[in-house]
Amino acid sequence: MAIQKVGVVGCGLMGSGIAQVCAASGFATVVREVSGELLDKGLKSIDKNLNRLAEKGAITEAAKGEIRGRLKGTTVIEDLKNCDVIIEAIIEQLPAKRELFGALDAICPPTTIFASNTSSLTITEIATATKRPQRFVGLHFFNPVPVMKLVEVVRTIATDPAVYEEMLAFGAKLGKTPVRAHDGTGFIVNRLLVPYLLDAIRALEEGVGSIEDIDNSMKLGCGHPMGPLTLLDFVGLDTTYYISQIMFEEFKERRFAAPPLLKRMVLAGWNGRKAGRGFYDYADPQKPKAMKF
Ligand code: CAA
């Protein structure tokens, strides 16, 4: 089956990035949000990204117009019914995802392939809300989606091997490097990244180093683009806390357990960059200042 039309559900941080990448890769793309206000916000962030790319000469003004022309926003779920692939990037809550896919299953032809961008939920458990678990995969993108080169393509025990190969090829058509992962909680990246991030918090709690010194160590000593505490602020402390709880529940291993400081920061609403405060204070976003605990 030649994939021509892609549906994206959710136009938040991840959904808008995915929709932008799909349209930029030549696919007719429909992105759905629950309200006109949220849709507007997501489409504006895509416009901002495309304008920035045009300003620095990475794309021409004509290409910008073509990408935007391939992208349609909607609040109506029925507008997704003739898509060849639908990628879900809504809130990380199992009941919401199951309900959405149940509804999509009822309106889409049996050929449509479903994909979830979940970072920690079990794909199998989402897929069983539909009558097509054999046409269901995980497509896990990374933030910021237009920049990060990876997509984890996740198969379950029920995924049809031909559908899986098609989704690997689709990931490559989006300009990403697809990696094969099976439906183990956290897939590959979060299996490795989450214990590392949690250990950075434990190192801070134990006084091994200051916030800046822990970050600089991994940036300058290991060539990471961001230190772990800066990355935690970037990903969101609430998001990381949520993922760690799911991973701990699955594996019952200390390395996935949330350190007390993380829990307290989330309780206080210090969720990182988006909240204006996490391990750093973002009062001046250009010059984040390390917090003193
Ligand atoms: N959207 C689009 N483009 C963006 C962007 C965004 N949100 N943020 C930055 N960029 C672009 C910039 O325009 C710039 O492009 P050019 O090089 O063409 O000019 C480029 O990215 C680099 O940006 P900056 O110079 O502003 O800053 P930087 O060099 O520090 O890079 C970064 C920013 C790409 C975010 C880099 O710091 C980085 O790679 N950080 C690590 C990000 C990471 O690990 N992400 C994965 C998180 S885990 C996850 O997402 C999944 C999960 O399940 C938790």
PDB file of all heavy atoms in Angstrom, residues 98-114:
ATOM      1  N   ARG A  98      -7.156   4.659  24.417  1.00  0.00           N
ATOM      2  CA  ARG A  98      -8.010   3.531  24.002  1.00  0.00           C
ATOM      3  C   ARG A  98      -9.338   4.043  23.427  1.00  0.00           C
ATOM      4  O   ARG A  98      -9.839   3.540  22.432  1.00  0.00           O
ATOM      5  CB  ARG A  98      -8.258   2.593  25.196  1.00  0.00           C
ATOM      6  CG  ARG A  98      -7.053   1.682  25.482  1.00  0.00           C
ATOM      7  CD  ARG A  98      -7.322   0.730  26.645  1.00  0.00           C
ATOM      8  NE  ARG A  98      -8.499  -0.084  26.438  1.00  0.00           N
ATOM      9  CZ  ARG A  98      -8.525  -1.281  25.846  1.00  0.00           C
ATOM     10  NH1 ARG A  98      -7.400  -1.805  25.399  1.00  0.00           N
ATOM     11  NH2 ARG A  98      -9.651  -1.943  25.714  1.00  0.00           N
ATOM     12  N   GLU A  99      -9.876   5.067  24.073  1.00  0.00           N
ATOM     13  CA  GLU A  99     -11.156   5.613  23.592  1.00  0.00           C
ATOM     14  C   GLU A  99     -10.991   6.201  22.189  1.00  0.00           C
ATOM     15  O   GLU A  99     -11.806   5.955  21.292  1.00  0.00           O
ATOM     16  CB  GLU A  99     -11.636   6.694  24.570  1.00  0.00           C
ATOM     17  CG  GLU A  99     -13.053   7.154  24.283  1.00  0.00           C
ATOM     18  CD  GLU A  99     -13.446   8.344  25.140  1.00  0.00           C
ATOM     19  OE1 GLU A  99     -12.977   8.450  26.295  1.00  0.00           O
ATOM     20  OE2 GLU A  99     -14.211   9.179  24.630  1.00  0.00           O
ATOM     21  N   LEU A 100      -9.901   6.944  21.996  1.00  0.00           N
ATOM     22  CA  LEU A 100      -9.647   7.547  20.680  1.00  0.00           C
ATOM     23  C   LEU A 100      -9.515   6.477  19.604  1.00  0.00           C
ATOM     24  O   LEU A 100     -10.154   6.559  18.541  1.00  0.00           O
ATOM     25  CB  LEU A 100      -8.367   8.391  20.731  1.00  0.00           C
ATOM     26  CG  LEU A 100      -7.880   8.879  19.369  1.00  0.00           C
ATOM     27  CD1 LEU A 100      -8.776  10.000  18.846  1.00  0.00           C
ATOM     28  CD2 LEU A 100      -6.437   9.352  19.430  1.00  0.00           C
ATOM     29  N   PHE A 101      -8.703   5.450  19.872  1.00  0.00           N
ATOM     30  CA  PHE A 101      -8.483   4.427  18.842  1.00  0.00           C
ATOM     31  C   PHE A 101      -9.745   3.600  18.592  1.00  0.00           C
ATOM     32  O   PHE A 101      -9.983   3.162  17.465  1.00  0.00           O
ATOM     33  CB  PHE A 101      -7.280   3.544  19.190  1.00  0.00           C
ATOM     34  CG  PHE A 101      -5.976   4.182  18.783  1.00  0.00           C
ATOM     35  CD1 PHE A 101      -5.062   4.599  19.734  1.00  0.00           C
ATOM     36  CD2 PHE A 101      -5.674   4.381  17.447  1.00  0.00           C
ATOM     37  CE1 PHE A 101      -3.865   5.202  19.352  1.00  0.00           C
ATOM     38  CE2 PHE A 101      -4.488   4.979  17.049  1.00  0.00           C
ATOM     39  CZ  PHE A 101      -3.573   5.397  18.011  1.00  0.00           C
ATOM     40  N   GLY A 102     -10.568   3.418  19.635  1.00  0.00           N
ATOM     41  CA  GLY A 102     -11.840   2.724  19.440  1.00  0.00           C
ATOM     42  C   GLY A 102     -12.699   3.504  18.448  1.00  0.00           C
ATOM     43  O   GLY A 102     -13.300   2.930  17.522  1.00  0.00           O
ATOM     44  N   ALA A 103     -12.720   4.839  18.618  1.00  0.00           N
ATOM     45  CA  ALA A 103     -13.516   5.691  17.727  1.00  0.00           C
ATOM     46  C   ALA A 103     -12.942   5.678  16.309  1.00  0.00           C
ATOM     47  O   ALA A 103     -13.686   5.582  15.321  1.00  0.00           O
ATOM     48  CB  ALA A 103     -13.561   7.117  18.280  1.00  0.00           C
ATOM     49  N   LEU A 104     -11.613   5.749  16.197  1.00  0.00           N
ATOM     50  CA  LEU A 104     -10.985   5.748  14.866  1.00  0.00           C
ATOM     51  C   LEU A 104     -11.234   4.415  14.159  1.00  0.00           C
ATOM     52  O   LEU A 104     -11.464   4.371  12.948  1.00  0.00           O
ATOM     53  CB  LEU A 104      -9.475   5.992  14.992  1.00  0.00           C
ATOM     54  CG  LEU A 104      -9.051   7.413  15.373  1.00  0.00           C
ATOM     55  CD1 LEU A 104      -7.559   7.458  15.698  1.00  0.00           C
ATOM     56  CD2 LEU A 104      -9.370   8.401  14.243  1.00  0.00           C
ATOM     57  N   ASP A 105     -11.192   3.334  14.931  1.00  0.00           N
ATOM     58  CA  ASP A 105     -11.400   1.992  14.368  1.00  0.00           C
ATOM     59  C   ASP A 105     -12.775   1.888  13.713  1.00  0.00           C
ATOM     60  O   ASP A 105     -12.935   1.222  12.681  1.00  0.00           O
ATOM     61  CB  ASP A 105     -11.278   0.974  15.508  1.00  0.00           C
ATOM     62  CG  ASP A 105     -11.041  -0.431  15.003  1.00  0.00           C
ATOM     63  OD1 ASP A 105     -10.307  -0.589  14.012  1.00  0.00           O
ATOM     64  OD2 ASP A 105     -11.594  -1.374  15.605  1.00  0.00           O
ATOM     65  N   ALA A 106     -13.736   2.581  14.316  1.00  0.00           N
ATOM     66  CA  ALA A 106     -15.112   2.504  13.809  1.00  0.00           C
ATOM     67  C   ALA A 106     -15.294   3.292  12.509  1.00  0.00           C
ATOM     68  O   ALA A 106     -16.160   2.953  11.704  1.00  0.00           O
ATOM     69  CB  ALA A 106     -16.077   3.022  14.875  1.00  0.00           C
ATOM     70  N   ILE A 107     -14.466   4.336  12.292  1.00  0.00           N
ATOM     71  CA  ILE A 107     -14.696   5.168  11.098  1.00  0.00           C
ATOM     72  C   ILE A 107     -13.703   4.909   9.957  1.00  0.00           C
ATOM     73  O   ILE A 107     -13.943   5.305   8.826  1.00  0.00           O
ATOM     74  CB  ILE A 107     -14.689   6.689  11.431  1.00  0.00           C
ATOM     75  CG1 ILE A 107     -13.357   7.120  12.057  1.00  0.00           C
ATOM     76  CG2 ILE A 107     -15.859   7.055  12.328  1.00  0.00           C
ATOM     77  CD1 ILE A 107     -13.213   8.640  12.203  1.00  0.00           C
ATOM     78  N   CYS A 108     -12.566   4.265  10.271  1.00  0.00           N
ATOM     79  CA  CYS A 108     -11.535   4.076   9.232  1.00  0.00           C
ATOM     80  C   CYS A 108     -11.694   2.734   8.528  1.00  0.00           C
ATOM     81  O   CYS A 108     -12.110   1.757   9.145  1.00  0.00           O
ATOM     82  CB  CYS A 108     -10.143   4.128   9.854  1.00  0.00           C
ATOM     83  SG  CYS A 108      -9.744   5.752  10.496  1.00  0.00           S
ATOM     84  N   PRO A 109     -11.304   2.676   7.247  1.00  0.00           N
ATOM     85  CA  PRO A 109     -11.322   1.378   6.558  1.00  0.00           C
ATOM     86  C   PRO A 109     -10.310   0.435   7.207  1.00  0.00           C
ATOM     87  O   PRO A 109      -9.367   0.890   7.853  1.00  0.00           O
ATOM     88  CB  PRO A 109     -10.911   1.733   5.124  1.00  0.00           C
ATOM     89  CG  PRO A 109     -10.272   3.061   5.196  1.00  0.00           C
ATOM     90  CD  PRO A 109     -10.819   3.768   6.384  1.00  0.00           C
ATOM     91  N   PRO A 110     -10.478  -0.888   7.007  1.00  0.00           N
ATOM     92  CA  PRO A 110      -9.597  -1.850   7.674  1.00  0.00           C
ATOM     93  C   PRO A 110      -8.137  -1.734   7.259  1.00  0.00           C
ATOM     94  O   PRO A 110      -7.252  -2.238   7.937  1.00  0.00           O
ATOM     95  CB  PRO A 110     -10.159  -3.220   7.267  1.00  0.00           C
ATOM     96  CG  PRO A 110     -11.311  -2.975   6.381  1.00  0.00           C
ATOM     97  CD  PRO A 110     -11.555  -1.523   6.231  1.00  0.00           C
ATOM     98  N   THR A 111      -7.872  -1.044   6.138  1.00  0.00           N
ATOM     99  CA  THR A 111      -6.482  -0.926   5.664  1.00  0.00           C
ATOM    100  C   THR A 111      -5.675   0.123   6.443  1.00  0.00           C
ATOM    101  O   THR A 111      -4.441   0.089   6.430  1.00  0.00           O
ATOM    102  CB  THR A 111      -6.486  -0.512   4.176  1.00  0.00           C
ATOM    103  OG1 THR A 111      -7.427   0.548   4.021  1.00  0.00           O
ATOM    104  CG2 THR A 111      -6.826  -1.678   3.270  1.00  0.00           C
ATOM    105  N   THR A 112      -6.345   1.077   7.078  1.00  0.00           N
ATOM    106  CA  THR A 112      -5.613   2.159   7.753  1.00  0.00           C
ATOM    107  C   THR A 112      -4.715   1.592   8.854  1.00  0.00           C
ATOM    108  O   THR A 112      -5.144   0.747   9.645  1.00  0.00           O
ATOM    109  CB  THR A 112      -6.599   3.178   8.373  1.00  0.00           C
ATOM    110  OG1 THR A 112      -7.454   3.648   7.341  1.00  0.00           O
ATOM    111  CG2 THR A 112      -5.872   4.348   9.007  1.00  0.00           C
ATOM    112  N   ILE A 113      -3.482   2.090   8.876  1.00  0.00           N
ATOM    113  CA  ILE A 113      -2.532   1.658   9.916  1.00  0.00           C
ATOM    114  C   ILE A 113      -2.592   2.670  11.064  1.00  0.00           C
ATOM    115  O   ILE A 113      -2.605   3.883  10.831  1.00  0.00           O
ATOM    116  CB  ILE A 113      -1.101   1.572   9.351  1.00  0.00           C
ATOM    117  CG1 ILE A 113      -1.037   0.508   8.242  1.00  0.00           C
ATOM    118  CG2 ILE A 113      -0.094   1.273  10.458  1.00  0.00           C
ATOM    119  CD1 ILE A 113       0.287   0.469   7.490  1.00  0.00           C
ATOM    120  N   PHE A 114      -2.630   2.163  12.287  1.00  0.00           N
ATOM    121  CA  PHE A 114      -2.661   3.027  13.468  1.00  0.00           C
ATOM    122  C   PHE A 114      -1.298   3.009  14.161  1.00  0.00           C
ATOM    123  O   PHE A 114      -0.660   1.946  14.266  1.00  0.00           O
ATOM    124  CB  PHE A 114      -3.715   2.535  14.466  1.00  0.00           C
ATOM    125  CG  PHE A 114      -5.143   2.761  14.022  1.00  0.00           C
ATOM    126  CD1 PHE A 114      -6.180   2.082  14.667  1.00  0.00           C
ATOM    127  CD2 PHE A 114      -5.463   3.638  13.002  1.00  0.00           C
ATOM    128  CE1 PHE A 114      -7.504   2.283  14.282  1.00  0.00           C
ATOM    129  CE2 PHE A 114      -6.778   3.840  12.609  1.00  0.00           C
ATOM    130  CZ  PHE A 114      -7.805   3.160  13.255  1.00  0.00           C
TER     131      PHE A 114
END
